Amino acid sequence: ATMTYSTRKNPRLKDYDYASAGAYFVTICTHHKQAIFGQITAGVMVLNPYGQQAESAWMEIPEHFPAVDLDEFIVMPNHIHGIVLIDCERARHASPLQPAPSLGAMVGSFKSAAARWINQQRVTPGEPVWQRNYHEHVIRNEKSLSEIREYIANNPLKWELDKYYV
């Protein structure tokens, strides 16, 4: 029997330098979109310890990547939305020999930091915390930045309508 493999579409923009300065809207989902970070109660996200750890790991990103600033973000029951700002000039001044981090390296570092702690607490350690890969959108202008900030801020209020709702 011959096996057919579906070809995965590469979600990245062709010929775009993801270490270049700019603003990125990132969405990172849990494995099988399991709601492991808490729940929405009366339109407010209530984080459990796993969600608190994910939030803490997100907040630590600039400590590990000095060229990165965090903007609006939220930890939802089964995903995280965040705006990440990369400043290549600052990266060169902070460490002239080190290139600015790529978005992928930053997301990978965040995912492993959060997963490490979560897996130490779990009854079933080693079970994946995160879905493979992540979604990102290059924010090209102020209007788009403003709309995405609003979307993130209002995400808990619209949870039942969310495409990640389970």
Side-chain angles (χ1 to χ4, degrees):
T2 58
M3 295 183 79
T4 57
Y5 296 96
S6 64
T7 54
R8 289 180 64 90
K9 181 179 172 290
N10 186 340
R12 309 291 163 247
L13 282 178
K14 187 175 173 351
D15 302 327
Y16 189 85
D17 177 6
Y18 280 92
S20 67
Y24 304 88
F25 174 41
V26 177
T27 300
I28 308 166
C29 296
T30 60
H31 188 67
H32 295 310
K33 296 191 177 70
Q34 294 171 299
I36 62 169
F37 295 138
Q39 62 190 31
I40 305 286
T41 305
V44 176
M45 179 62 199
V46 181
L47 298 174
N48 64 20
Y50 294 167
Q52 291 166 359
Q53 181 59 31
E55 182 178 79
S56 174
W58 185 262
M59 296 296 291
E60 289 170 9
I61 289 171
E63 293 172 30
H64 305 285
F65 298 93
V68 173
D69 282 315
L70 302 176
D71 197 286
E72 191 77 40
F73 81 95
I74 191 160
V75 176
M76 293 292 287
N78 62 2
H79 65 282
I80 291 175
H81 286 308
I83 297 172
V84 177
L85 310 167
I86 298 178
D87 178 353
C88 296
E89 280 307 306
R90 193 166 74 232
R92 277 192 280 281
H93 292 300
S95 177
L97 303 174
Q98 292 254 331
S102 71
L103 190 61
M106 189 219 69
V107 169
S109 171
F110 158 74
K111 285 167 83 170
S112 66
R116 196 173 311 116
W117 185 89
I118 290 169
N119 273 320
Q120 289 169 350
Q121 312 306 313
R122 281 183 158 178
V123 180
T124 54
E127 185 183 328
V129 172
W130 302 107
Q131 178 178 301
R132 189 170 164 252
N133 224 324
Y134 61 98
H135 307 281
E136 113 287 306
H137 167 78
V138 179
I139 301 172
R140 300 178 193 282
N141 56 51
E142 271 309 311
K143 182 178 183 289
S144 177
L145 179 61
S146 178
E147 288 168 357
I148 292 168
R149 282 176 175 150
E150 191 174 322
Y151 172 80
I152 292 171
N154 291 326
N155 214 231
L157 294 170
K158 299 179 177 175
W159 178 230
E160 273 103 37
L161 308 172
D162 197 291
K163 69 179 176 181
Y164 301 109
Y165 178 76
V166 285

